Amino acid sequence: MAITGLKTMLYTPLEQFQIILLFSIKLFCFDFSITNLVLVNFLVFFFFISIVFFFSSNEHSLKESSFFFIPSTWQVLIETLYEASSQLLFDNINKDGEKYFPFISIIFIFVLFSNLIGLIPYSFTTTSHLIVTFTLSFSIFIGINIICIQKHKFHMLSLFIPSNTSFGLALLLVPIELLSYIFKPISLGVRLFANLMAGHTLLKVIVGFSWSMLLLEDFLAVFHIIPLLILVLLMGLELGVALIQAYVFTILTCIYLNDAINLH
């Protein structure tokens, strides 16, 4: 019975989301232990910094780092990422959003690279954990509220009371608007988490099904190629989901930021 339970645990599709302790580091009452989640987060930042450094370096010397007027292929990739972030800002906030470009570009790049690294076999998807997406979305929500308060002071309350609203109707609309406003960071975090977790779980199920068919001793073992072909198609779909979810997360952040700046 114990062996059967162990096998079931090892082949569960949710095993890939388990946070594993790699190095235990405890100082007084604080825990600074390194887990696979922390490691992948560091790899995301290290990977992007390495791309910027090495692909903008001079061909003859890595000490001279600069971008070229005629860009290389990798420089085009970096410029495309920044241009996508800049375009999202301009489309939603116009010129007022230029000073928030570093903020938006880092969010877009972090979510994008986290999603893409999670597609590597035996890797770990940080954005498939609710604690990561919630921390990111609530941090953004708090920052946007600080910007709104600094810019509009008490006038920010107009977000919850539409213009030309009577007192009786305001008693009904204010709770609804306040509830929808509070649910903005929740929906932002859950959307990213749910899409990534559902896709990776489906991939794990298909792999397990294919492996089970391969272990069969009759002629049905030959048909394990069918779920493998489906897996290839799903990998392409997951790649699209990783790109789209990073785009959606960023564009919703821009929309919320625009609401805070212009009180829409």
Side-chain angles (χ1 to χ4, degrees), residues 1-11:
M1 183 67 69
I3 296 176
T4 305
L6 179 61
K7 288 183 177 179
T8 303
M9 180 188 69
L10 290 176
Y11 289 100

Side-chain angles (χ1 to χ4, degrees), residues 1 27 37 40 48 51 54 62-63 70 139 155 166 198 208 211 218 223 229 233 241 249-250 254:
M1 183 67 69
L27 183 62
L37 189 148
V40 172
F48 178 71
I51 287 179
F54 286 107
L62 290 177
K63 295 181 180 180
I70 301 178
S139 300
H155 292 289
S166 62
W211 180 253
D218 51 17
F223 294 98
L229 292 176
L233 297 177
V241 168
F249 192 93
T250 309
C254 292

Side-chain angles (χ1 to χ4, degrees), residues 8 17 28-29 41 43 79 83 85 124 135 170 189 196 211 213:
T8 303
F17 305 115
F28 302 110
C29 59
N41 278 330
L43 286 176
E79 291 178 357
E83 185 179 354
S85 304
F124 185 80
T135 301
L196 270 296
W211 180 253
M213 291 186 64

Side-chain angles (χ1 to χ4, degrees), residues 80-245:
T80 302
L81 293 176
Y82 280 116
E83 185 179 354
S85 304
S86 177
Q87 190 64 40
L88 286 175
L89 271 174
F90 185 79
D91 291 343
N92 289 278
I93 317 177
N94 298 324
K95 293 183 178 180
D96 293 335
E98 290 181 355
K99 60 182 177 181
Y100 303 108
F101 172 72
F103 170 65
I104 295 298
S105 62
I106 287 297
I107 290 174
F108 176 66
I109 291 168
F110 173 76
V111 175
L112 178 62
F113 279 31
S114 297
N115 294 349
L116 294 178
I117 288 178
L119 293 176
I120 301 174
Y122 302 104
S123 182
F124 185 80
T125 312
T126 58
T127 45
S128 65
H129 276 263
L130 198 57
I131 184 63
V132 176
T133 57
F134 261 10
T135 301
L136 192 59
S137 62
F138 273 103
S139 300
I140 293 170
F141 183 70
I142 293 171
I144 287 174
N145 278 292
I146 292 174
I147 293 171
C148 187
I149 293 172
Q150 288 179 340
K151 186 175 180 64
H152 301 288
K153 303 297 188 294
F154 287 104
H155 292 289
M156 73 163 293
L157 296 177
S158 62
L159 286 170
F160 312 115
I161 306 177
S163 59
N164 302 322
T165 303
S166 62
F167 179 76
L169 189 59
L171 293 177
L172 176 64
L173 291 179
V174 169
I176 296 175
E177 291 291 335
L178 180 61
L179 189 63
S180 64
Y181 189 77
I182 294 174
F183 269 90
K184 281 182 178 181
I186 298 176
S187 63
L188 188 64
V190 169
R191 181 184 291 105
L192 180 60
F193 148 77
N195 280 279
L196 270 296
M197 185 178 184
H200 284 69
T201 302
L202 181 59
L203 291 177
K204 185 72 172 181
V205 169
I206 298 296
V207 169
F209 181 65
S210 177
W211 180 253
S212 299
M213 291 186 64
L214 183 62
L215 295 179
L216 295 176
E217 297 180 355
D218 51 17
F219 71 96
L220 291 176
V222 181
F223 294 98
H224 79 281
I225 192 67
I226 296 177
L228 284 180
L229 292 176
I230 297 175
L231 182 65
V232 173
L233 297 177
L234 288 177
M235 280 296 295
L237 179 62
E238 277 302 296
L239 177 61
V241 168
L243 299 174
I244 292 172
Q245 286 306 313

